Amino acid sequence: MTKASPGTDPTGGRPVVPSRGALRPLGLDEVRVVDGFWATRQRVNGGATLDHGRSWMDKLGWTGNFTAARAGAGEVDRRGREFSDSEVYKLVEAMSWEVGRTGSTDRDREVAELTELIALAQAPDGYLGTAFGGPGQRPRHSDLASGHELYCAGHLLQAAVARTRTGGAGPLLDVARRAADHVCDTFGPDGTWGICGHPNIEPALVELARLTGEQRYLDQAGLFVRRRGHQSLPQHHFGWAYYSDDVPVRDATVLRGHVVRALYLACGAVDVAVETGDGELLAAVAAQFDRTLARRTHLTGGMGSRHMDEAFGEDFVLPPDRSYSETCAGVAAIMLAWRLLLATGVSRYADVIERVLYNVVATAVSDDGRAFFYANTLHQRVRTVDVPTDEQQLGFGGGPRAPWFEVSCCLPNVARLLASLSAYLVTADDEGLRIHQYADADVDTRLPDGRRVALRMRTGYPDDGVVTVRVTATDGGGFPLTLRVPEWATGAVLVTPTGRRAVPPGPVTVRHAFAVGDEVRLELPLRPRFTHPDPRVDAVRGCVAVERGPVVYCAEALADEDLDTLRVDPGSLPVDVDGGVLVRARFTAPGERAWPYGPTPRRAPGAPLTGLRLLPYHRWARRGPATMRVWLPVT
């Protein structure tokens, strides 16, 4: 890796900046979302969610922990769980991307204020953590399995990377470098053998290495990846897989254990593989993710089937009413898919990102940006209830959107993704540009040969399937423009300056000497469709789901309808209605029985088939307390 001076990394607001790979990401200074579906969510995120998160962290004392640590306070005075420092760091990261997105001077001052607060707690040797090492607290690194010290350090480094790439080098980068040096000194080849029970330090160290040019950060990340999987942490009652410490990374065949931990580790392994040219490691992680997508992923793109350990189930164990599908897992899945897309150029990873964005990320946060789901069930059997807007919720495994949870990792995680979302839309390859996600966005960048190109992308996606890309500036000459036809889009049509043609799912490239005013139009068929589960998914055998474009639909009941008695007619195709999809269905109430087993029961009488309106899954639980289901039993 070429060594660079801090702050000279010319990366223009990109969360991930590989030194090699099939694709180069464009940053916040090159792509801006200006209107539509995601612009609305970015505005809510920047105008409400960030303030909401800061307010709760101040109220609960999480930000105050840094001041208390500086003053020598210990266990008695500290507030929050052992990992609460990480939530403050994620909030700073989200605010930093927001500064890059909007240029907000108010957010810039807030980042500077929080940086000053964080720096107060840093020890002279670079250690930074408020939960260990103080009066009455456990010694530093005395609980690597559950203490989250390196996990928190990882989020600190990621915040510093975001701050530097949007505001230039400054105090937060200095804090992060001292913290990273401490990690390397403590856990390097000549230090303590150890790994964190919650991966995250690995991708963070690689990104800091990319930013600063410091080889030792990359080396340390690689060392942590190699140490993983040798059962060096104490055995957990959920097994070593809970820590991703059961099997060496390159020997595993599928992601398993705690979902977020597994995905963060996979991100770090991809980063190490890319920077070291380790094709074998890259291929191993890609194969693990591919198998996980094929066997351990919900229809929404959500991951996690078990509440008790926030974990993957075994292959095809995907119960909708017990789906965990943590919001953080959705963010982490996008992080991994993005890294694999950049490394390999394989379009289906962009399909994964799209599915998770519209059906997990868009679902998680309330319309006002001040409440959120921790877990994202696919079947809510018991009606949700309104929760107080000023009370922290202790349980975080299900139920309604809540303003805050005792464990509130998900809200700042979504906030940092939404603030930086523009950087996930478009990439450059060796010749031209590739558009991966569709939104109202303006693109202004330079091709690999230095020529300027500006594009205006406009669309009503995901409600409307027409995407128009107009060239608004160019230095002349031809270049290839590649668009993604999603895997569901059979019958798509591409219109170019030279004609109109049908295009199959996958990447489609237009090679043309584009001039200002030239347009490319992609027409994606957004007919609602029935989706059938793999027959090995026992929990939804005999059910169908409805999708329209990238959006999963659901049945929601606000009143007395019992969705468990719902039966859908699969012989009548779903049709569009204003703001939703209509299917033919009936409610069939089975007779009461003293014992729920026995011979085949007689068909219970039911109401005539009638139209049932479904709504996008990301819109459920926004109209009031409700029950809901995605998978619909058939008549």
Side-chain angles (χ1 to χ4, degrees), residues 197-282:
H198 198 311
N200 183 51
I201 187 66
E202 299 86 352
L205 280 168
V206 176
E207 212 57 50
L208 188 63
R210 289 165 170 164
L211 177 69
T212 64
E214 286 292 343
Q215 181 69 34
R216 72 185 309 217
Y217 301 156
L218 174 60
D219 293 343
Q220 185 64 48
L223 186 59
F224 280 139
V225 170
R226 291 194 298 276
R227 285 176 179 170
R228 185 73 56 172
H230 298 283
Q231 303 178 7
S232 60
L233 293 170
Q235 186 172 12
H236 195 278
H237 58 275
F238 293 131
W240 276 293
Y242 181 78
Y243 301 127
S244 297
D245 193 31
D246 56 330
V247 179
V249 173
R250 65 178 70 238
D251 295 340
T253 59
V254 69
L255 300 182
R256 66 248 168 261
H258 188 284
V259 176
V260 179
R261 298 173 196 235
L263 289 166
Y264 281 174
L265 176 61
C267 288
V270 169
D271 288 338
V272 168
V274 167
E275 294 305 313
T276 60
D278 190 338
E280 178 184 290
L281 178 59
L282 177 63

Side-chain angles (χ1 to χ4, degrees), residues 571-630:
S572 300
L573 294 179
V575 295
D576 279 318
V577 294
D578 184 31
V581 167
L582 204 69
V583 295
R584 284 175 59 79
R586 64 162 58 101
F587 290 89
T588 302
E592 292 297 325
R593 302 171 66 176
W595 180 243
Y597 311 99
T600 302
R602 289 182 298 174
R603 180 175 299 173
L609 285 168
T610 186
L612 176 69
R613 186 190 185 99
L614 308 180
L615 73 158
Y617 173 71
H618 64 247
R619 296 301 309 162
W620 94 272
R622 297 181 190 273
R623 301 181 295 168
T627 59
M628 178 276 301
R629 65 183 306 159
V630 166

Side-chain angles (χ1 to χ4, degrees), residues 181-483:
D181 289 340
H182 174 78
V183 169
C184 294
D185 291 341
T186 304
F187 295 98
D190 300 323
T192 301
W193 172 286
I195 56 173
C196 186
H198 198 311
N200 183 51
I201 187 66
E202 299 86 352
L205 280 168
V206 176
E207 212 57 50
L208 188 63
R210 289 165 170 164
L211 177 69
T212 64
E214 286 292 343
Q215 181 69 34
R216 72 185 309 217
Y217 301 156
L218 174 60
D219 293 343
Q220 185 64 48
L223 186 59
F224 280 139
V225 170
R226 291 194 298 276
R227 285 176 179 170
R228 185 73 56 172
H230 298 283
Q231 303 178 7
S232 60
L233 293 170
Q235 186 172 12
H236 195 278
H237 58 275
F238 293 131
W240 276 293
Y242 181 78
Y243 301 127
S244 297
D245 193 31
D246 56 330
V247 179
V249 173
R250 65 178 70 238
D251 295 340
T253 59
V254 69
L255 300 182
R256 66 248 168 261
H258 188 284
V259 176
V260 179
R261 298 173 196 235
L263 289 166
Y264 281 174
L265 176 61
C267 288
V270 169
D271 288 338
V272 168
V274 167
E275 294 305 313
T276 60
D278 190 338
E280 178 184 290
L281 178 59
L282 177 63
V285 178
Q288 292 163 27
F289 191 49
D290 291 347
R291 185 179 178 91
T292 301
L293 291 169
R295 294 167 176 256
R296 300 185 174 190
T297 303
H298 294 283
L299 178 65
T300 55
M303 294 185 180
S305 298
R306 301 206 303 245
H307 282 238
M308 63 180 180
D309 51 352
E310 302 183 304
F312 291 103
E314 299 303 319
D315 288 354
F316 304 108
V317 178
L318 295 164
D321 55 347
R322 295 300 295 163
S323 60
Y324 199 64
S325 185
E326 185 185 342
T327 296
C328 276
V331 173
I334 289 172
M335 291 168 58
L336 179 55
W338 181 241
R339 284 162 166 80
L340 290 171
L341 176 64
L342 296 178
T344 66
V346 174
S347 180
R348 60 189 160 85
Y349 294 122
D351 286 345
V352 173
I353 292 171
E354 177 181 78
R355 180 170 291 274
V356 178
L357 279 174
Y358 284 107
N359 301 297
V360 178
V361 174
T363 306
V365 184
S366 63
D367 289 337
D368 68 0
R370 294 181 172 89
F372 62 102
F373 283 137
Y374 189 102
N376 293 273
T377 185
L378 274 67
H379 186 176
Q380 182 72 31
R381 291 182 181 273
V382 179
R383 189 188 298 187
T384 59
V385 296
D386 290 326
V387 298
T389 60
D390 59 349
E391 287 185 12
Q392 176 181 223
Q393 301 300 302
L394 297 180
F396 49 88
R401 293 182 187 87
W404 205 251
F405 294 91
E406 180 191 21
V407 177
S408 277
C409 48
C410 296
L411 192 65
N413 221 354
V414 169
R416 64 176 181 156
L417 174 64
L418 287 177
S420 61
L421 186 63
S422 300
Y424 292 84
L425 304 186
V426 185
T427 63
D429 57 24
D430 289 340
E431 300 178 273
L433 300 178
R434 297 193 188 189
I435 298 175
H436 303 284
Q437 305 300 331
Y438 300 123
D440 279 4
D442 293 335
V443 181
D444 195 336
T445 187
R446 292 193 177 274
L447 299 175
D449 62 9
R451 287 177 294 145
R452 181 191 174 207
V453 171
L455 307 173
R456 185 179 69 186
M457 176 166 50
R458 295 295 183 266
T459 180
Y461 202 73
D463 297 325
D464 182 87
V466 177
V467 181
T468 301
V469 181
R470 176 187 287 264
V471 177
T472 56
T474 176
D475 286 342
F479 66 90
L481 177 65
T482 300
L483 291 84

Side-chain angles (χ1 to χ4, degrees), residues 50-275:
L50 297 181
D51 290 336
H52 180 78
R54 174 68 190 274
S55 162
W56 273 95
M57 292 182 198
D58 286 348
K59 182 170 85 169
L60 295 175
W62 297 2
T63 51
N65 285 334
F66 295 96
T67 306
R70 175 70 171 191
E75 186 63 27
V76 173
D77 299 296
R78 190 183 182 279
R79 299 290 180 263
R81 296 286 296 270
E82 63 277 6
F83 42 75
S84 65
D85 292 358
S86 70
E87 314 311 350
V88 179
Y89 300 148
K90 277 186 286 189
L91 183 67
V92 171
E93 181 185 349
M95 289 178 173
S96 297
W97 294 127
E98 187 67 9
V99 170
R101 187 181 78 84
T102 65
S104 169
T105 55
D106 289 340
R107 288 292 178 212
D108 188 70
R109 282 193 294 270
E110 193 168 9
V111 172
E113 172 199 331
L114 287 168
T115 296
E116 185 175 350
L117 193 71
I118 291 165
L120 288 173
Q122 189 164 37
D125 65 354
Y127 178 83
L128 181 51
T130 68
F132 289 83
Q137 294 177 332
R138 291 174 289 176
R140 297 177 182 180
H141 307 307
S142 58
D143 186 6
L144 289 175
S146 301
H148 290 76
E149 287 165 281
L150 293 174
Y151 166 83
C152 290
H155 281 302
L156 169 65
L157 305 191
Q158 289 168 328
V161 167
R163 176 60 168 167
T164 306
R165 288 181 175 161
T166 55
L172 189 57
L173 180 60
D174 295 336
V175 169
R177 293 194 68 158
R178 289 195 296 272
D181 289 340
H182 174 78
V183 169
C184 294
D185 291 341
T186 304
F187 295 98
D190 300 323
T192 301
W193 172 286
I195 56 173
C196 186
H198 198 311
N200 183 51
I201 187 66
E202 299 86 352
L205 280 168
V206 176
E207 212 57 50
L208 188 63
R210 289 165 170 164
L211 177 69
T212 64
E214 286 292 343
Q215 181 69 34
R216 72 185 309 217
Y217 301 156
L218 174 60
D219 293 343
Q220 185 64 48
L223 186 59
F224 280 139
V225 170
R226 291 194 298 276
R227 285 176 179 170
R228 185 73 56 172
H230 298 283
Q231 303 178 7
S232 60
L233 293 170
Q235 186 172 12
H236 195 278
H237 58 275
F238 293 131
W240 276 293
Y242 181 78
Y243 301 127
S244 297
D245 193 31
D246 56 330
V247 179
V249 173
R250 65 178 70 238
D251 295 340
T253 59
V254 69
L255 300 182
R256 66 248 168 261
H258 188 284
V259 176
V260 179
R261 298 173 196 235
L263 289 166
Y264 281 174
L265 176 61
C267 288
V270 169
D271 288 338
V272 168
V274 167
E275 294 305 313

